[in-house]
Amino acid sequence: MLSETRIVLRNLGRIDPVSVQDYQKQGGYGPLRKALSMKTEEVIAEMKRSGLRGRGGAGFPVWKKWSFTASAQSGQKYVICNADEGEPGTNKDRVILSGDPNSVFEGMAIAAYAVGADRGFLYLRREYPYVAPILDQALENARAEGCLGKNILGSSFSFDIEVISGGGAYVCGEETALIESIEGRRGEPRFKPPYPGVSGLYGRPTVVNNVETLANVPVILQRGGEWFSGIGVPNCTGTKVFTLCGNITQKGVFEYPMGTNLRDIYETHGGVKDNFDLRGFMLGGQSGNLINAGQMDLSMDIDSCQQAESVLGTGTIMVIDDRNDILDIVQNIMSFFIEESCGKCTPCREGNIRILEILRRISGGEGRMEDLTLLEDLAGMMNVACLCGLGQNSSVAVITSLHNFREVYVKAIERGRRA
Amino acid sequence: MHSIAGEDYFITPAAEKRITELASRYQNEPEQLMNILLDIQKETANSFPRSVAALVSRVTGIPEAKLYGFVSFYSMFSTKPRGRYVVRMCHSAPCHVCGAQGVMEAISKTLGIKPGETTRDGRFTLEYCQCLGVCENAPAIMVNETVYRNLTPGRAATLMEDYQRGDMKEC
């Protein structure tokens, strides 16, 4: 049985989310005060020592992102909190924001100080309209206490945060699409480079960090990067907030050190429900991978997952029991990407549709063995040719299910042949 | 009452005043556009048809084509009139493996409409949507801005009946 290591979720259920006083009683805004007494380079150096990597899926080192923006010359810089949590099977950011919004605001303020920004945006997905009033109230209280706004905590540093609503588009989780959306346009990803760190919102240097990433920042400042780097595994430090969903007995949001074994998480939370059998997992969301029940001895950290042709992503663990058909799930996933493709680049706009056609052909008994190669080719092409992460990863579920559940495809094709 | 007739939406003088007010909040700060347009949509049968786009364009100076491009991109907008209650059923995998299909069938049967349709009385529109971000409580639906979690076909049908009877406060 595992027990949680709560860093990000440190205050969850222990404070009134909108009360800045409650947050301060738990040590909140002390780290910001500490940061303001440090040189900006020292703040970034502390982040480097911590080894913190982005928690939104890509795992980019946070200190590097910050240092790009810090060294960019501009009179105006921005910090954006990416709260467009669209990855199906992930709802950790909603839990963090509605349970402890100040931890995210404080992380944003520390980032802003480190890079020299004075304006912040929190891009909240429209599917969470009920979180917005919590954020608005918490912001108002934090300003009244001098923790945000002009001359924060009596210093010469000023920074404020505005909540911006999303419009219901998965692709806006991609940072340049998110920026396009804040700029009042369709959320279509930009060509990179330039990266937002140098040229982001309104062409200005912009740090874009995920909710969970930012909630880690105050604790790192408070307890030190070295302490943080002792949690988790080398090169992937700290904890991960996992969303457990699907056919598992105990669903919910749980925080474990990076590198925790998937089997231990699965067993701690009661395994599959109602005496069904485990068929497999969808890890990292719908842009993540499908693994079978025999593959669950997996270290849940960014690098180990990658080495195992898997993905940690946003920390989704969706359990699939034997009532479900893998081919049906893969088709569901492809319909999602057809719906959510922004249409800007052809490989994604067309490729997802063609993949679903082939999948339907196979499950409808019209498949051929050559289709399996065709699927691999098409998915491989999209992975290299698509502009953004959406298209590059939309067929990961197809590829990984072809590898990890190949018999399902072969059976469907053979069944069709006999008929 | 919202007037839903044909493909377009007739703007009453009262609605015109309200839309103009809301659109006037736009002061060339692009980051405010989303919030403003979402507020306008609440006034106009949960939709953003061409007549509304034309009016907003006149007030803000944003070309109508750009507004259309914007609202047609985001799933929270509709260019076709929708019902007073927009019922959105999560279509993503975590709800899918927890019995979303049965819930959708129960809702569809109770309301008497298929996904994408609006009831004749203009009260309900049924839609599929993507992840609502309540995966730990799947399957889930959203009615306007309220989320309902851990649904079964039976509970979903009862909930829709409550709405039909008008027992639910407008949200």
Side-chain angles (χ1 to χ4, degrees), chain A residues 19-250:
Chain A
S19 165
V20 67
Q21 284 83 9
D22 273 19
Y23 181 68
Q24 284 172 316
K25 270 185 214 144
Q26 302 294 329
Y29 290 110
L32 175 59
R33 193 181 292 277
K34 187 175 172 186
L36 294 176
S37 72
M38 294 160 72
K39 287 194 183 127
T40 57
E41 313 79 89
E42 287 170 1
V43 175
I44 293 176
E46 200 63 59
M47 296 307 294
K48 187 176 180 182
R49 268 192 292 279
S50 77
L52 178 67
R53 294 167 70 176
R55 300 296 197 245
F60 195 76
V62 172
W63 74 272
K64 260 192 199 168
K65 249 189 190 182
W66 290 15
S67 56
F68 292 147
T69 304
S71 56
Q73 297 297 317
S74 175
Q76 177 71 60
K77 297 179 186 179
Y78 299 102
V79 170
I80 294 175
C81 170
N82 183 345
D84 192 51
E85 182 175 49
E87 192 61 64
T90 315
N91 59 214
K92 65 184 176 73
D93 293 344
R94 173 178 57 77
V95 169
I96 297 165
L97 283 172
S98 42
D100 189 16
N102 277 290
S103 67
V104 180
F105 304 158
E106 189 179 9
M108 290 176 76
I110 294 170
Y113 173 71
V115 305
D118 66 357
R119 214 170 158 198
F121 293 100
L122 191 151
Y123 186 90
L124 181 71
R125 70 190 301 240
R126 188 60 187 170
E127 287 79 357
Y128 297 162
Y130 46 90
V131 178
I134 300 172
L135 297 179
D136 289 340
Q137 188 59 55
L139 281 172
E140 204 181 306
N141 296 346
R143 283 185 203 115
E145 197 66 18
C147 298
L148 287 174
K150 281 224 160 69
N151 301 111
I152 289 177
L153 303 169
S155 71
S156 59
F157 171 65
S158 299
F159 174 71
D160 211 340
I161 299 168
E162 234 176 294
V163 179
I164 301 286
S165 177
Y170 168 83
V171 70
C172 290
E174 198 278 340
E175 56 185 7
T176 61
L178 186 154
I179 288 169
E180 285 287 304
S181 180
I182 297 181
E183 290 185 12
R185 283 195 287 272
R186 296 160 70 90
E188 293 174 358
R190 295 175 179 171
F191 285 95
K192 293 192 271 193
Y195 289 89
V198 179
S199 175
L201 185 63
Y202 301 122
R204 305 295 188 146
T206 307
V207 168
V208 187
N209 283 145
N210 169 260
V211 170
E212 182 186 348
T213 310
L214 290 162
N216 271 296
V217 170
V219 187
I220 290 170
L221 259 287
Q222 186 187 10
R223 306 195 64 172
E226 207 174 301
W227 168 82
F228 188 86
S229 69
I231 302 162
V233 290
N235 205 34
C236 194
T237 56
T239 59
K240 183 76 194 80
V241 182
F242 295 98
T243 309
L244 266 63
C245 62
N247 310 123
I248 192 161
T249 306
Q250 190 187 20

